[in-house]
């Protein structure tokens, strides 16, 4: 596609449930990032993929969060045993490479609400 | 530690007035700096970026920003604001494997 696509755009789930958020990056982009944006805050880094491997997962808040990118394209962010504090907008971005001076293109995000 | 500070949480300007949004960064080496804009329900869109060279960079939608190493600043400017510029603006610094964002400045435009 022309841009980064994220599905669903909105997700409401009950506390304790499992959720999956999907990201389709721009074709040909080897680098893929997940960020979390809480209300009134800037995006905070969660995880970075270079190809199929998670090159940096230092931003994942705890072991309930996990992400995969099995074929080096689509990525799924998985959250187990959701908590109300997980409510946020989850943003995905992709870039041609993972270098610091490479422009990252962002999707519109998935708004997750845990009730 | 690397960080970005945007001192102004909320700014209101009149349409046609000039605009300056402040950004200060903390980074050990020469920084790669970015300004993004986020409209309601939209993703982040890159306005401009600074990597090296000329310290005054031009971006899309008539925005520009000036890198001042001595002040650790990268302020965003626009000479004449349009109503469509109302949005949230984020300054970011490129770090290893990630962008580090400020908390954002919400811009309101009065008619």
């Amino acid at each position: 596609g022309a841009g980064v696509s994220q599905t669903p755009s909105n997700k409401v789930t009950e506390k304790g449930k499992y959720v999956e958020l999907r990201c389709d990056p721009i074709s040909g982009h080897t680098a893929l990032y997940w960020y979390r944006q809480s209300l009134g805050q800037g995006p905070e880094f969660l995880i970075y993929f270079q190809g199929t491997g998670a090159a940096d997962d230092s931003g994942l808040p705890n072991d309930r969060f996990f992400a995969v990118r099995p074929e080096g394209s689509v990525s799924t962010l998985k959250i187990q045993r959701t908590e109300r504090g997980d409510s946020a907008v989850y943003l995905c971005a992709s870039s041609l490479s993972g270098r610091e001076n490479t422009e990252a293109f962002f999707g519109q995000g998935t708004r997750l609400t845990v009730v | 530690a690397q960080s970005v500070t945007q001192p102004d949480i909320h700014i209101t300007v009149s349409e046609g007035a000039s605009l300056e949004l402040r950004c200060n960064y903390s980074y050990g080496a020469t920084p790669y700096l970015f300004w993004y804009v986020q409209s309601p329900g939209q993703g982040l869109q890159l306005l401009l970026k600074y990597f090296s060279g000329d310290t005054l960079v031009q971006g899309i939608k008539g925005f520009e920003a000036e890198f001042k190493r001595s002040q650790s600043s990268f302020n965003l400017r626009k000479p004449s604001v349009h109503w469509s510029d109302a949005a949230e603006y984020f300054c970011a610094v490129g770090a290893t494997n990630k962008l580090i964002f400020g908390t954002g400045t919400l811009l309101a435009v009065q008619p």
Side-chain angles (χ1 to χ4, degrees):
Chain A
V4 177
S5 176
Q6 292 187 246
T7 54
S9 55
N10 281 283
K11 176 71 175 178
V12 180
T13 191
E14 293 180 347
K15 179 176 177 296
K17 298 289 188 182
Y18 167 83
V19 295
E20 290 189 350
L21 312 179
R22 177 188 168 103
C23 173
D24 265 291
I26 293 172
S27 178
H29 282 192
T30 61
L32 185 146
Y33 309 82
W34 285 98
Y35 289 82
R36 180 168 70 175
Q37 186 176 16
S38 301
L39 196 61
Q41 301 295 316
E44 294 179 313
F45 169 78
L46 294 176
I47 188 169
Y48 157 61
F49 286 90
Q50 182 57 250
T52 60
D56 185 346
D57 64 359
S58 61
L60 294 178
N62 52 60
D63 61 5
R64 295 186 299 105
F65 288 75
F66 189 71
V68 295
R69 195 186 185 199
E71 297 178 357
S73 178
V74 171
S75 176
T76 304
L77 178 66
K78 308 180 181 194
I79 310 174
Q80 298 177 323
R81 304 182 305 279
T82 51
E83 300 177 356
R84 292 194 178 87
D86 299 334
S87 297
V89 176
Y90 289 81
L91 296 169
C92 177
S94 69
S95 66
L96 277 172
S97 75
R99 297 178 64 177
E100 297 163 345
N101 60 354
T102 305
E103 179 180 352
F105 295 82
F106 284 81
Q108 294 187 347
T110 293
R111 182 176 298 280
L112 176 66
T113 304
V114 182
V115 297
Chain B
Q2 301 150 352
S3 66
V4 175
T5 301
Q6 293 181 248
D8 304 305
I9 297 172
H10 187 272
I11 283 182
T12 300
V13 299
S14 297
E15 192 168 14
S18 64
L19 171 70
E20 183 168 28
L21 302 182
R22 296 184 290 165
C23 172
N24 292 97
Y25 67 89
S26 173
Y27 193 72
T30 300
Y32 300 117
L33 295 163
F34 305 80
W35 274 100
Y36 283 85
V37 61
Q38 187 176 40
S39 300
Q42 302 296 312
L44 292 159
Q45 181 183 22
L46 181 68
L47 285 175
L48 48 77
K49 58 194 177 189
Y50 170 78
F51 293 159
S52 65
D54 194 348
T55 56
L56 184 64
V57 293
Q58 302 297 320
I60 62 170
K61 304 184 180 186
F63 285 92
E64 66 178 27
E66 186 171 13
F67 170 62
K68 293 185 177 179
R69 184 186 299 275
S70 62
Q71 298 178 19
S72 297
S73 70
F74 188 57
N75 293 350
L76 182 71
R77 301 194 295 245
K78 186 170 185 178
S80 178
V81 170
H82 188 263
W83 63 267
S84 61
D85 293 323
E88 190 153 25
Y89 292 80
F90 292 94
C91 181
V93 63
T96 303
N97 299 334
K98 65 178 75 74
L99 290 168
I100 298 172
F101 287 87
T103 52
T105 298
L106 186 62
L107 174 66
V109 180
Q110 287 181 335

